[in-house]
Amino acid sequence: TQLLEQSPQFLSIQEGENLTVYCNSSSVFSSLQWYRQEPGEGPVLLVTVVTGGEVKKLKRLTFQFGDARKDSSLHITAAQPGDTGLYLCAGEGRGAQKLVFGQGTRLTINP
Amino acid sequence: AAGVIQSPRHLIKEKRETATLKCYPIPRHDTVYWYQQGPGQDPQFLISFYEKMQSDKGSIPDRFSAQQFSDYHSELNMSSLELGDSALYFCASSFGQGTYEQYFGPGTRLTVT
C-alpha cells in the first residue's frame, strides 16, 4: 500500500510567522497534489507537482517536489489567519484512478 | 467556472434504510470518483468511473453500488445503512483516464441514526 505521511498533523502559529508542512512516502509518485479543505467542504486543489525537484509558487505558498519524487513540502511565508485550514497532500495510488491522501495538517493561524 | 455539484448536501437516514447520492461533474470531465471521509480522517477512495465504465474500486462495501450515466453524472446507492456509514461523501471529477488532478464537490453529509 502506498502511504503518504504528513507532518506535523497540527500546527498553531502566530500571524506573520513562516511554516513548512511535509509530505513523505517510501514510494515514488508520478505526481503529488496539495489540497486545502475547510470544515464540511470538499478539498480544493491548490497545486500539482510533477517533475522531481519542481518548485511552484502560489502567492505566499511555495510547493516543492523532492528530487526522487517521494516527498513534497508546502512552505507558507508570513502566514495570515485566512490560511487557517486542513492541508492535504495526495498522490495516485496503485491502480489507475484513486488518490491516496496524507492524514492532513490542521493549520491554525492566530491573529 | 463551473464546479462539481453534489446533491443532496445533507441527508439523514435511519439504520437499514437506503440512500442515493448524486454527482454532476465539471462539464467535459469524463471521470468521476467517490470518496468517503469520516470525522477527523482523510478521504478514502470508494470507486471511480471513466466513460461510464467502472475503472477502479477501493474500500467500497458490498452494500454500496454506483454507476455513471450517459450524461456523465454519477449516483452512489447505499443500502442497509449502518451507523458507521455516517460520513462526508465526496465526488470528484477529472478529464481523461489516469489523470490525477481531481476536482472535488462540496460533499454530502450523511447521518445515519
Side-chain angles (χ1 to χ4, degrees):
Chain A
T1 303
Q2 291 180 293
L3 294 175
L4 286 168
E5 294 189 2
Q6 282 186 243
S7 62
Q9 291 191 37
F10 299 91
L11 183 58
S12 180
I13 62 173
Q14 293 300 120
E15 181 177 2
E17 293 183 352
N18 303 330
L19 66 107
T20 302
V21 175
Y22 299 93
C23 176
N24 296 302
S25 176
S26 58
S27 303
V28 174
F29 288 87
S30 61
S31 68
L32 281 179
Q33 289 79 46
W34 284 91
Y35 290 85
R36 178 180 161 185
Q37 185 177 22
E38 301 290 343
E41 298 293 329
V44 175
L45 180 63
L46 297 175
V47 78
T48 298
V49 286
V50 179
T51 307
E54 181 178 9
V55 176
K56 283 191 174 179
K57 291 192 174 185
L58 188 65
K59 297 184 181 179
R60 294 175 294 99
L61 278 60
T62 302
F63 304 85
Q64 185 164 7
F65 202 10
D67 290 341
R69 292 187 289 123
K70 292 183 178 181
D71 57 87
S72 182
S73 64
L74 158 61
H75 182 79
I76 301 180
T77 304
Q80 299 178 0
D83 296 327
T84 293
L86 178 66
Y87 290 82
L88 294 159
C89 67
E92 78 283 8
R94 296 202 186 279
Q97 301 285 300
K98 60 186 176 187
L99 280 179
V100 173
F101 284 85
Q103 316 98 305
T105 295
R106 190 164 299 281
L107 176 63
T108 303
I109 309 300
N110 303 300
Chain B
V4 176
I5 297 172
Q6 289 187 248
S7 67
R9 291 295 312 276
H10 303 273
L11 191 58
I12 299 175
K13 290 286 185 177
E14 295 187 354
K15 283 196 308 183
R16 292 179 289 278
E17 287 192 320
T18 61
T20 298
L21 279 55
K22 297 185 178 182
C23 168
Y24 297 86
I26 292 172
R28 292 184 295 280
H29 280 193
D30 50 14
T31 308
V32 169
Y33 317 78
W34 286 96
Y35 292 85
Q36 178 191 59
Q37 186 176 30
Q41 299 181 0
D42 55 281
Q44 297 294 313
F45 173 76
L46 293 177
I47 196 167
S48 62
F49 293 87
Y50 168 69
E51 284 291 344
K52 292 151 280 183
M53 299 286 289
Q54 180 182 308
S55 53
D56 199 2
K57 193 172 181 180
S59 51
I60 183 170
D62 292 339
R63 300 177 287 107
F64 294 5
S65 64
Q67 57 182 322
Q68 186 180 30
F69 295 86
S70 58
D71 64 351
Y72 296 105
H73 94 272
S74 178
E75 294 183 4
L76 177 65
N77 299 294
M78 310 161 72
S79 62
S80 302
L81 287 169
E82 302 174 357
L83 295 178
D85 296 328
S86 296
L88 271 168
Y89 289 84
F90 292 108
C91 170
S93 73
S94 68
F95 176 72
Q97 191 175 23
T99 59
Y100 304 110
E101 285 200 344
Q102 298 181 17
Y103 294 86
F104 283 75
T108 294
R109 181 176 292 281
L110 173 66
T111 302
V112 181
T113 61

